Amino acid sequence: MLNVAIVGPGLVGGALLEQLAAHAQSPRFASLPISVVGLINSKKMAISTKSFTAQDLDQWKTAILGSSAVVADLSQFTDSLAVLKGSTAVVDCTSSDTIAELYPLWLSKGLHVVTPNKKGFSNDISLFRKIQQLSASPKGPVVYHEATVGAGLPILSTLNDLVRTGDKIVKIEGIFSGTLSYLFNNFSIPGATQKFSECVSVAKSSGYTEPDPRDDLNGMDVARKVTILGRVAGLDLSIDTLPVENIVPEELRGVSSAEEFMSRLPEFDEHFKKLNDEALASGSVLRYVGMVDGVNSQSSVKLARYARDHPFASLKGSDNIIAFTTERFPNPLIIQGAGAGAAVTAFGIFADLIKVCERFGTGSA
Ligand SMILES: NC(=O)C1=CN([C@@H]2O[C@H](COP(=O)(O)OP(=O)(O)OC[C@H]3O[C@@H](n4cnc5c(N)ncnc54)[C@H](OP(=O)(O)O)[C@@H]3O)[C@@H](O)[C@H]2O)C=CC1
Ligand SMILES: N[C@@H](CC=O)C(=O)O
Ligand code: NA
């Protein structure tokens, strides 16, 4: 049995629990050896004394968070998990730096980590290296974070395979943000009628954006993904030195909340319309692109113009497109598909949990 504790059962974490429950209730997978034993959010932490199989997940929130097995703090939460029988994985579904800084402690106690949270792999490189070093043993524990880049798309697993089989990464380029993909696929096209702020609002209500959409529009989400890809490819990239184009209007960068930002964004629709009209007048469209440069250390994150028949100009919805140019793939290996949204992100986390089950003898799905 794989014990699973979820930190932050919000949009993505909630979708993961629903997928676990649905999966276990389908006769074909009833034996899924995953048991949710803990949930914490920023207000309450609970470890269940009862092992909740996926069938019980319909009541997971009340059943666990309402239970008496409430723990006082993260240290007690960690200690309670470390003594459980069998393998235990902590799934961090927050975007918290503080929680990401706990990964080395969790790993040192033999807990696996599965997460879509980019912070642990894109903040200070010393944390990235410590996580790598503590999860390097073939006997485990492991860290799987496929959903940190392109949600459930097999980006990091493909990159890992390329690197581990000795291929040389020349360039990794693409549209890494589901939010910005959705925005420009719907705003920067000839004849578009939606205003920029309306597109942002739809992206947020569709569950694509970070908790604060400025973390998408300022380029930091893409910068984090470029940094993660670069580091996995063996480059010492840092978000502090990566050139990142921030498209949040200066006047809105410092407003106190995501709600205030969203309410004031319509004031700048004209600004974005002008940018778009200029691109369209030159026969181009605007797309927000990240690039990992494996040869000349010129990695970048920026808004750029593309001809209307360019592959980056023909995406739909929140699609990402990632092109790996390597020694073996001079014509790039391309992965494309939805790169944001609760369900496709939860899918990536779920698939990582199944990898933990298969690798550590808790049965396959
Ligand atoms: N949405 C998407 O398409 C994708 C999202 N991701 C990543 O998934 C993660 C979650 O995103 P999403 O579900 O949209 O975000 P939400 O804001 O919906 O959920 C975040 C959850 O984390 C909890 N939380 C925040 N801080 C803490 C803390 N310090 N301790 C415990 N719990 C905490 C929140 O609880 P409370 O409400 O009580 O504060 C909330 O339940 C992010 O890292 C995001 O970058 C990755 C790929 C795609
Ligand atoms: N906000 C991000 C979520 C996935 O990483 C995006 O829009 O891609
Ligand atoms: Na992915």
Side-chain angles (χ1 to χ4, degrees):
M1 182 63 77
L2 177 66
N3 305 308
V4 170
I6 295 182
V7 183
L11 181 77
V12 169
L16 172 64
L17 285 156
E18 284 163 18
Q19 288 183 12
L20 284 169
H23 189 285
Q25 281 145 13
S26 62
R28 188 170 159 226
F29 301 111
S31 63
L32 183 70
I34 288 178
S35 173
V36 176
V37 295
L39 289 178
I40 65 172
N41 58 29
S42 51
K43 302 167 191 71
K44 197 164 187 183
M45 304 181 189
I47 298 287
S48 161
T49 47
K50 174 176 176 286
S51 169
F52 284 82
T53 59
Q55 279 81 356
D56 304 310
L57 287 179
D58 296 345
Q59 304 85 32
W60 53 269
K61 236 176 193 168
T62 43
I64 292 183
L65 287 181
S67 76
S68 58
V70 176
V71 291
D73 56 29
L74 278 161
S75 155
Q76 200 184 1
F77 177 78
T78 301
D79 291 344
S80 308
L81 292 175
V83 298
L84 294 177
K85 284 194 178 50
S87 288
T88 299
V90 187
V91 181
D92 170 16
C93 286
T94 74
S95 56
S96 162
D97 298 285
T98 313
I99 297 293
E101 280 151 22
L102 288 172
Y103 298 177
L105 169 67
W106 289 340
L107 292 165
S108 65
K109 293 209 182 251
L111 302 174
H112 305 294
V113 175
V114 173
T115 184
N117 183 359
K118 306 165 193 78
K119 304 294 175 60
F121 312 95
S122 58
N123 280 352
D124 193 294
I125 199 162
S126 60
L127 177 58
F128 174 78
R129 289 212 175 104
K130 207 180 291 178
I131 293 168
Q132 264 195 326
Q133 182 249 324
L134 288 167
S135 57
S137 164
K139 297 196 191 76
V142 290
V143 176
Y144 288 132
H145 58 100
E146 181 60 71
T148 57
V149 181
L153 296 178
I155 309 295
L156 289 175
S157 53
T158 300
L159 177 57
N160 267 316
D161 288 347
L162 289 168
V163 170
R164 283 183 302 195
T165 58
D167 200 351
K168 179 164 175 44
I169 307 297
V170 174
K171 180 167 69 168
I172 308 170
E173 186 182 25
I175 292 179
F176 295 104
S177 164
T179 296
L180 298 176
S181 179
Y182 174 81
L183 283 186
F184 290 105
N185 294 341
N186 290 280
F187 173 69
S188 186
I189 47 173
T193 54
Q194 270 190 306
K195 292 178 180 163
F196 187 79
S197 59
E198 289 167 350
C199 292
V200 176
S201 185
V202 171
K204 183 163 177 50
S205 60
S206 303
Y208 301 151
T209 69
E210 292 305 297
D212 185 332
R214 281 172 291 182
D215 287 336
D216 297 286
L217 293 174
N218 65 14
M220 286 313 289
D221 179 68
V222 176
R224 290 187 179 280
K225 291 167 179 172
V226 165
T227 300
I228 292 169
L229 286 166
R231 288 177 176 177
V232 170
L235 304 175
D236 285 356
L237 287 192
S238 164
I239 47 176
D240 300 329
T241 54
L242 190 61
V244 179
E245 184 167 354
N246 183 345
I247 64 171
V248 174
E250 291 263 359
E251 298 89 313
L252 298 185
R253 293 181 186 177
V255 297
S256 61
S257 70
E259 291 70 24
E260 185 185 350
F261 166 72
M262 293 298 290
S263 70
R264 290 197 52 199
L265 188 57
E267 295 168 28
F268 298 87
D269 280 336
E270 266 316 298
H271 159 71
F272 287 104
K273 183 177 182 307
K274 184 168 175 294
L275 276 182
N276 189 39
D277 289 346
E278 287 165 359
L280 294 177
S282 70
S284 310
V285 290
L286 294 171
R287 293 297 181 265
Y288 197 88
V289 177
M291 193 267 286
V292 177
D293 181 344
V295 177
N296 304 308
S297 310
Q298 299 297 311
S299 300
S300 64
V301 173
K302 62 186 179 190
L303 185 64
R305 291 181 180 184
Y306 287 88
R308 284 163 48 184
D309 61 355
H310 190 283
F312 290 1
S314 56
L315 299 184
K316 298 272 178 280
S318 67
D319 278 7
N320 286 187
I321 183 168
I322 291 87
F324 293 92
T325 304
T326 74
E327 246 170 14
R328 292 178 195 145
F329 293 95
N331 301 321
L333 184 163
I334 291 178
I335 297 174
Q336 180 175 332
V344 294
T345 308
F347 146 64
I349 302 165
F350 193 172
D352 277 349
L353 284 174
I354 290 175
K355 287 192 185 90
V356 177
C357 288
E358 289 173 338
R359 188 164 160 191
F360 294 95
T362 47
S364 59

